[in-house]
């Protein structure tokens, strides 16, 4: 049962955040809250010691501090900051977190470049007639939740929770 929760909750939250950000340019607080509550609930059962759990909390606090600084500077959205921190909680301090941040950064750069090219192209005029695409074309911001989801899903196999769940299968 615990493995099923791990296999479903994290990927669902990442996909939901990406789709929500793409269509509304917002990521609901409930997505980050779901990630935080679920991780804290499963942590004692996946073999994390108190020290390891503390390192996961440290990753959360560190990423939240940095991303809220970026939010305060107007560089990052608040939903992106909370999603990034709650995702960091699942990875803890270490290679998994670095892998997540690297994948999210690369996906974010590719997404930003693709959106800049698309918004300047003649295709944007035609695509703008489609209501769903209009918001993406008109916005100056980038729905970075998509990149965070790609990074999270790409690095999830390296998270302690997924490693534990795979060992149970």
């Amino acid at each position: 049962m615990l493995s099923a929760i791990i296999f479903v909750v994290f990927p669902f939250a990442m996909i939901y955040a990406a789709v929500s950000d793409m269509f509304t340019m917002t990521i609901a607080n409930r997505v980050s809250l779901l990630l935080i509550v679920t991780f804290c609930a499963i942590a004692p059962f996946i073999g994390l010691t108190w020290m390891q759990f503390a390192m996961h909390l440290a990753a959360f606090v560190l990423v939240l501090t940095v991303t809220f600084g970026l939010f305060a500077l107007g560089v990052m959205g608040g939903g992106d900051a909370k999603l990034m921190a709650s995702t960091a909680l699942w990875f803890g301090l270490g290679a998994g977190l670095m892998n997540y941040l690297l994948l999210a950064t690369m996906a974010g750069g590719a997404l930003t470049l693709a959106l800049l090219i698309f918004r300047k192209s003649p295709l944007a005029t035609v695509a703008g007639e489609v209501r769903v695409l209009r918001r993406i074309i008109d916005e100056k911001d980038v729905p970075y939740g998509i990149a965070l989801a790609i990074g999270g899903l790409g690095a999830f196999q390296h998270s302690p929770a997924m490693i534990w769940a795979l060992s149970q299968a």
Side-chain angles (χ1 to χ4, degrees):
M1 179 67 169
L2 189 57
S3 294
I5 291 169
I6 293 167
F7 288 135
V8 172
V9 172
F10 186 89
F12 171 79
M14 292 289 104
I15 293 166
Y16 182 85
V19 171
S20 172
D21 205 18
M22 182 171 61
F23 291 122
T24 67
M25 297 298 275
T26 59
I27 300 170
N29 289 336
R30 66 181 169 264
V31 175
S32 297
L33 187 60
L34 174 66
L35 288 170
I36 294 166
V37 168
T38 302
F39 183 79
C40 290
I42 67 167
F45 303 104
I46 63 171
L48 292 183
T49 66
W50 280 106
M51 186 55 141
Q52 290 168 325
F53 183 70
M55 297 307 278
H56 283 259
L57 289 177
F60 172 79
V61 171
L62 177 65
V63 171
L64 188 64
T65 301
V66 170
T67 56
F68 261 70
L70 294 172
F71 169 72
L73 294 172
V75 177
M76 177 178 268
D80 298 328
K82 290 177 273 190
L83 179 64
M84 199 168 190
S86 59
T87 303
L89 178 64
W90 282 71
F91 291 103
L93 290 176
L97 179 60
M98 293 301 112
N99 191 24
Y100 164 60
L101 295 174
L102 179 63
L103 288 172
T105 300
M106 291 183 341
L111 175 65
T112 301
L113 185 59
L115 280 176
L116 288 172
I117 291 169
F118 175 69
R119 288 173 179 164
K120 300 276 187 209
S121 74
L123 183 60
T125 306
V126 175
E129 299 301 319
V130 179
R131 187 171 179 226
V132 172
L133 296 176
R134 177 87 260 148
R135 180 179 214 93
I136 293 173
I137 294 166
D138 289 344
E139 287 284 339
K140 300 258 188 275
D141 295 330
V142 174
Y144 209 75
I146 297 169
L148 297 178
I150 291 169
L153 292 171
F156 188 46
Q157 64 187 340
H158 302 292
S159 72
M162 184 58 120
I163 291 168
W164 180 88
L166 291 172
S167 74
Q168 302 303 303

